[in-house]
Structure formats: structure tokens, C-alpha cells
Amino acid sequence: MSTPEHGLAPADPTDSAAAGRLHASSPRLVICEHCDTVHRGHALAPGEAMRCVRCDALLARYHVLNADGMLALVLTALIVFLIANVWPVVTLGLGSQQSSTTLWGTIVMMWEQGAQLVAVVAAATLFFFPLNKMLMLGWVLFFAREGRRAPGFASIMKTLYYLQPWTMSEVFVLGAIVSIVKARAYFDVQPDPGIWAYGVLMLLITVFSGIDLRSLWDVTEDA
Amino acid sequence: MTAPRAQELGIIGCHVCGLVCRAPASDDAACPRCGAALHRRRRNSIARTWALLVAAFILYIPANVLPIMRTVSLGDVDDNTIISGVVELWIKGSPSLAVIVFTASIVVPMTKFLVLGTLLASTQRHSRWALRQRARLYRAVEFIGYWSMLDVFVVALLTALVRFGFLSQVEPLPGVVFFGLTVVLTMFASMSFDPRLMWDLSDDD
């Protein structure tokens, strides 16, 4: 290594092993993604957040949860997600007739009614992306508990990064509430277990959204 | 302002894993830690964002003009647009939810068009005007963007729920597809904008 003193990783794959070690042992630099300003990173105290001096963007926040805690949260979310998808969300009644739906019932119905594009977007953002996100996170965290990187760690972390903005379960919950109110004018409306499970899922997602997954790169090492 | 910028120090941060690297000489370098492509700035950010934003705006017109949902009950056909749905919710259901739907379907997309358009234009003109506020606006737009999908999910749920044959039936109409596309495109637009470009000002700007 020609310039070990500043502790930067060279963007040259042949040096990557040395770069990894160097990076871990030197004071960490944090670059603001919103304005490119360089900060010196430091350990955060409980409740502390680090903001960019130039553009005020959030750079890092203290987290109570370690890998164990996060794994517990992901497993809880997975169970709640299954409940939310198996049970119907709402049941409508009109006279003696009843009609209820699950998330998948909704997706299939949109497909059959000629709104295939909406069906695909809904299936992706409400089912496949959230499910994959939880499974991949669970896999990565399971290994991170012992400070190890799971098989496929790099590509999983990259996929998680790109999936990030495309999960919309929270919006679906609000959509269900609006639908209930709209339907209430004409039908007997009865909320089903699915909607409660979605509500809990919404809370779990909110807790998770505050966690910076990049820290997993710093707390793990290649096995 | 004295804080150094990565560009001046000849370093670059990986946008996926956050690793700080020495800026590579070539254009197609990859992050040594996670393998993601290293870019000093997002490629063709301004042109790409404009293109996506204009496309989203064009689709937003049929999304509002065309009805998004049809209600058929006892042979009575009633087509609703986004706005007439909000009005109906206000009158028959709950005004507070009407405000939420109005915000998600009209205010948020319009705000996105206006804010991203302003950010693009001011960045192209190397404007120093209200930089910190503009940075904050961009973060707000990124944060609220996907809530616009609300009305799409409402139509989907009502279509699946209201299935009482001749008595009552709900069907989706083309407006909802245009609206869903608008939301997806505005999300891509705000992702392709590179806020660092706002701060890339030389001394003679």
C-alpha cells in the first residue's frame, strides 16, 4: 500500500483485502450522499444523530438494535406478513350476500378486470418485494450475529439497497382504511384479521425504516 | 463553508455500501467491497430526470381526465375520476379521509412536478439560491413520493370486494393504470436526480 496513512480503500480490486483491513482500523470517513461533503465519522451516543454540516441531511443515527434484535424483528415481520396474506382484509355484506378479499384476491381481480399493469405493480410492491426483503435480511442477519458475512452477502446487500423504495405495504394499509370508509356508505363492513396484521406490519416497517443497513458492512467480516 | 467535498479530495463514496475509496481514473470502476459501480455523479442525471418527469406529467393528464373506477348497481352506471372520488368521499364518508386522498393523489404528484422541475432548472442555471432549502425539498419529495399509490390500491381493493353481481359491482377503468404509471415514473425521476449537482458550483458561478 502506497498511502496507508489516510485509510482510504483504493478502487482497485487487487488491493481489496488490504483495503478492507485498513478501512476497519482507521477513523471512518462519511461522505454525505446528498451534497458530497466529507465528514469524520465517530461513535454515536444513544439518541444522537449525525447531520451533514452543508445540507443538513441525516448521515447516521444511533441504533439500539444489534443483529440479534434486528433478526427478531425480521422474523416477527415475516410471521405477521404471512397472517396478513392468508386472512382476508375486509368482508362486505349486502343483504344476505357476503364478499371478502385477501391481497392476492385483489391482485388476481385487477388482472382479470383488464388492469394487468396495476396487478403487476401491486404484486411486486405488496408481496414479492417485501417478502424477498425480509427473507434476504433474515439470511444476512443470521450470519451477522456472529460477525460473519452470509454467502452471497454483497449481492444481497446490493439487491436490498435497490428494493428499498419499492415496498408499499404502509400505503396499502391506508388504502384499506379509505376503502372501508368508502364502502361503508353502501355495505355492511367488517374488518378481518388481515387488516390488523397489516397494521402491525406497518409499525414494524416504520421501526425498520430507521435502521441503516450499511452498518452491516462494518460489523461483519468475510468468513 | 470550509467542509471539504469528496470531489475536491479525490475520493468517492460507494452509493450502495458507503465505503470511501480513492477516486478511480477509469469510468467503469467497481467498489472493492460490494462490487457496485462507482460513480462520481449519477450518469446523465439532469437529462434523465427531465425525461422521466415530462413522461410522468404527460401520463398524469389522462390519469385525471379519464375515470379510474366504475360502479354498477342495479343497472345504474357511475364512473368516478380521481377528483370526483374525493368529492364523493367528502360528502358521503369522511372529510378527513377525503383530504388524505386529495393530498396523495393531487397535491403530492403536483408538488413533485413543481419541486423536481424547479430543482432541475435551478441546477442547470448553477443557481446559489436557497441551496439548503432546495436540498431539504428534494429529501421531502423522495420521502413522500410513494404514498401517491394510495388511490390505485383503493380502486384495486374495491374492485375485489364489491362483487355482488347485478346488485353492485366495481370495475377498474383505464385512468387508474395511467395514474399508477405516473407514480412509478415520478419515483424513478426523483431517484435519477443527483442532488450533489446542486452543490457543484465553481467560484465564478
Side-chain angles (χ1 to χ4, degrees), chain A residues 9 35-36 54 99 170 214, chain B residues 5-6 15 41 132 146 161:
Chain A
C35 71
D36 218 22
R54 184 171 265 118
S99 165
E170 314 89 288
R214 287 174 178 183
Chain B
R5 300 183 68 223
H15 66 289
R41 298 289 178 264
R132 268 174 95 94
Y146 71 117
L161 280 172

Side-chain angles (χ1 to χ4, degrees), chain A residues 154 157-159 161-162 214 217, chain B residues 13-19 34 36-37:
Chain A
M157 292 298 286
K158 229 187 306 180
T159 312
Y161 172 84
Y162 288 112
R214 287 174 178 183
W217 281 100
Chain B
C14 172
H15 66 289
V16 173
C17 76
L19 182 72
C34 73

Side-chain angles (χ1 to χ4, degrees), chain A residues 81 85 101-110 119 123-124 126-128:
Chain A
F81 184 77
N85 278 280
T101 190
T102 58
L103 171 64
W104 271 100
T106 309
I107 293 167
V108 169
M109 195 50 79
M110 282 311 261
L126 298 175
F127 185 79
F128 290 109

Side-chain angles (χ1 to χ4, degrees), chain A:
Chain A
M1 290 297 292
S2 52
T3 51
E5 66 281 354
H6 57 33
L8 298 180
D12 173 2
T14 53
D15 274 355
S16 62
R21 280 200 303 278
L22 245 166
H23 180 78
S25 60
S26 54
R28 208 161 65 89
L29 293 182
V30 181
I31 299 177
C32 174
E33 269 180 83
H34 287 265
C35 71
D36 218 22
T37 303
V38 182
H39 304 75
R40 214 173 283 280
H42 59 90
L44 297 171
E48 193 186 347
M50 189 177 162
R51 289 192 169 274
C52 175
V53 292
R54 184 171 265 118
C55 77
D56 203 34
L58 185 70
L59 294 174
R61 175 176 277 161
Y62 175 81
H63 291 305
V64 191
L65 290 176
N66 55 11
D68 271 322
M70 283 195 258
L71 184 61
L73 208 59
V74 171
L75 291 179
T76 313
L78 252 176
I79 295 167
V80 174
F81 184 77
L82 287 181
I83 297 173
N85 278 280
V86 171
W87 265 275
V89 182
V90 193
T91 301
L92 294 192
L94 184 64
S96 58
Q97 292 185 64
Q98 289 220 317
S99 165
S100 66
T101 190
T102 58
L103 171 64
W104 271 100
T106 309
I107 293 167
V108 169
M109 195 50 79
M110 282 311 261
W111 182 277
E112 285 173 356
Q113 294 285 322
Q116 286 89 350
L117 213 82
V118 173
V120 170
V121 170
T125 60
L126 298 175
F127 185 79
F128 290 109
F129 292 169
L131 180 64
N132 276 299
K133 200 167 153 180
M134 286 182 276
L135 290 176
M136 288 190 288
L137 256 176
W139 173 253
V140 164
L141 286 168
F142 181 75
F143 287 86
R145 289 162 70 215
E146 283 144 22
R148 288 192 295 146
R149 286 185 187 165
F153 185 81
S155 43
I156 289 175
M157 292 298 286
K158 229 187 306 180
T159 312
L160 282 172
Y161 172 84
Y162 288 112
L163 279 189
Q164 183 75 36
W166 297 103
T167 56
M168 303 192 180
S169 304
E170 314 89 288
V171 184
F172 185 72
V173 178
L174 191 56
I177 296 170
V178 173
S179 308
I180 288 174
V181 173
K182 280 200 170 194
R184 211 180 45 185
Y186 309 95
F187 311 98
D188 303 319
V189 182
Q190 181 205 325
D192 289 320
I195 186 84
W196 304 117
Y198 261 108
V200 175
L201 191 65
M202 191 176 178
L203 291 178
L204 291 170
I205 289 171
T206 311
V207 174
F208 238 96
S209 65
I211 294 174
D212 184 8
L213 293 174
R214 287 174 178 183
S215 61
L216 286 176
W217 281 100
D218 301 322
V219 300
T220 58
E221 266 179 62
D222 275 319

